[in-house]
Amino acid sequence: MSAIDFEVSVPQLRCFIAVVDAGSVAEAGRRLGMSAASVSKAITRLEEGAGVRLLHRSTHALSLTEAGEALLEPAREAVRAAEAFEEAAGHARGSGDAGVVRLTAAVGFVRHVLVPMLGELARLHPEIQLDVRATNEVLDLADNGIDLAIRSGSLVGLPGHIHQTWFTCPWVICAAPSYLARRPAPRTIAELDEHDLIRFRNPQSGQIQPWPHRTVVDTTGGSYEPRARFAFDDGDAVWGTMLAGGGIACVPLYLAAASLRNGAAVELLADFRGAAASVVMLRRERRLTPGRLATLMAFLSARAPDFSDLL
């Protein structure tokens, strides 16, 4: 087959990359917002066009062929080049403010912070389309075609990215009134060991996340490693179990704010809060920043959540 006979589309390459990164056609479809059948068909057409088999398929597993392994990085480079061309073309035709912004953030953050802002975004900026990937997994921005990530915690090991702090908030220890009606509230961090504790398991590392709170001994700020009665890899499940009276949970203040204000939750051990954590907007470092991305970031910056009444 000559080079001139071979036609490949960027969507086909995106499907190939997504399947490799996700480990399954079904999960790749979920991340791309496509059906598994459509993803599979796109990869089949890519293989037919290239004249090589990219993936070994069996009933229970997928794996790269030798050709697939060799072509994976060129596929990534081609997708990056296509995205760069799309951005440059947008600037060239003077319409960089219109189009799609792909954003990723944790599930709980999307539901409790981002979603309440979207009505105003739609009203003020109808030219912007927002494609949100709500996931507790930390996605690679380049590999997944993400324009903006909302993250907290360490950003060490992320060269080639630019980040700006959006807001800061502490983690808070909370319980429902129904739980406190049957169990006395703890007065110190050590007394938490006598309670039913609900904890978050990092879905990537598999480790249960420590609670960033000070102790009497460690007055500079540290962490507490409590025994878990319940453990979840979803922040909303942690919070929902706490609201149902299942025990005591520790979550970022943005997740707890509404319930603390309406009395559905009570903060415990406020004097032992750890240092406030930064929530940042992270984007890839590029010479050209799409106008629509700059517009969205300005919109979000102007509406940083205000927790002054709870601090």
Side-chain angles (χ1 to χ4, degrees):
M1 177 181 295
S2 66
I4 196 170
D5 295 327
F6 177 30
E7 293 185 3
V8 59
S9 72
V10 173
Q12 290 171 354
L13 293 176
R14 282 200 177 106
C15 288
F16 170 48
I17 294 167
V19 168
V20 173
D21 291 341
S24 75
V25 173
E27 175 62 16
R30 188 188 67 80
R31 294 182 184 182
L32 294 170
M34 301 169 58
S35 69
S38 296
V39 173
S40 182
K41 185 179 295 184
I43 293 175
T44 297
R45 288 176 176 170
L46 178 62
E47 290 176 327
E48 291 172 349
V52 295
R53 177 65 64 86
L54 300 172
L55 297 168
H56 291 299
R57 298 171 176 84
S58 69
T59 305
H60 303 292
L62 284 173
S63 61
L64 283 166
T65 64
E66 184 176 351
E69 187 174 359
L71 292 173
L72 179 58
E73 186 54 35
R76 295 191 194 277
E77 292 175 0
V79 170
R80 294 186 196 116
E83 291 173 351
F85 180 85
E86 178 185 357
E87 290 182 11
H91 281 270
R93 64 177 180 264
S95 60
D97 288 346
V100 178
V101 176
R102 297 174 178 86
L103 179 150
T104 185
V107 176
F109 186 92
V110 169
R111 291 175 179 168
H112 296 273
V113 179
L114 186 62
V115 166
M117 299 180 180
L118 297 189
E120 186 178 11
L121 177 67
R123 179 174 60 83
L124 295 178
H125 299 289
E127 75 282 4
I128 293 178
Q129 300 167 257
L130 198 58
D131 182 352
V132 179
R133 316 291 172 86
T135 175
N136 295 323
E137 179 184 357
V138 178
L139 300 180
D140 184 283
L141 273 61
D143 290 348
N144 290 276
I146 301 296
D147 301 300
L148 186 67
I150 308 299
R151 291 183 179 169
S152 61
S154 174
L155 297 176
V156 175
L158 288 173
H161 293 75
I162 298 173
H163 69 272
Q164 69 181 64
T165 298
W166 185 8
F167 63 90
T168 61
C169 70
W171 284 60
V172 291
I173 295 174
C174 301
S178 60
Y179 179 83
L180 297 176
R182 68 176 192 273
R183 303 284 294 276
R187 294 167 297 176
T188 66
I189 294 293
E191 289 184 8
L192 285 171
D193 292 334
E194 303 168 13
H195 285 267
D196 296 332
L197 306 182
I198 311 162
R199 299 188 60 189
F200 176 77
R201 182 185 300 278
N202 186 301
Q204 289 190 299
S205 69
Q207 300 298 308
I208 293 181
Q209 186 167 293
W211 289 7
H213 278 69
R214 297 181 295 107
T215 65
V216 174
V217 175
D218 178 15
T219 58
T220 61
S223 62
Y224 168 62
E225 292 280 1
R227 173 185 51 80
R229 173 70 183 274
F230 303 103
F232 299 93
D233 63 359
D234 175 72
D236 266 0
V238 170
W239 191 243
T241 302
M242 187 284 303
L243 289 176
I248 297 175
C250 180
V251 299
L253 183 55
Y254 67 73
L255 188 63
S259 297
L260 290 173
R261 287 173 177 139
N262 65 26
V266 177
E267 183 180 1
L268 307 173
L269 303 170
D271 291 340
F272 295 89
R273 284 179 180 172
S278 294
V279 176
V280 304
M281 293 186 282
L282 181 74
R283 63 182 177 87
R284 285 172 284 167
E285 186 174 17
R286 293 176 172 177
R287 292 183 179 180
L288 294 177
T289 299
R292 60 186 177 275
L293 178 56
T295 297
L296 176 63
M297 292 179 69
F299 171 87
L300 295 175
S301 295
R303 290 155 184 81
D306 181 10
F307 304 118
S308 57
D309 60 317
L310 298 172
L311 297 177

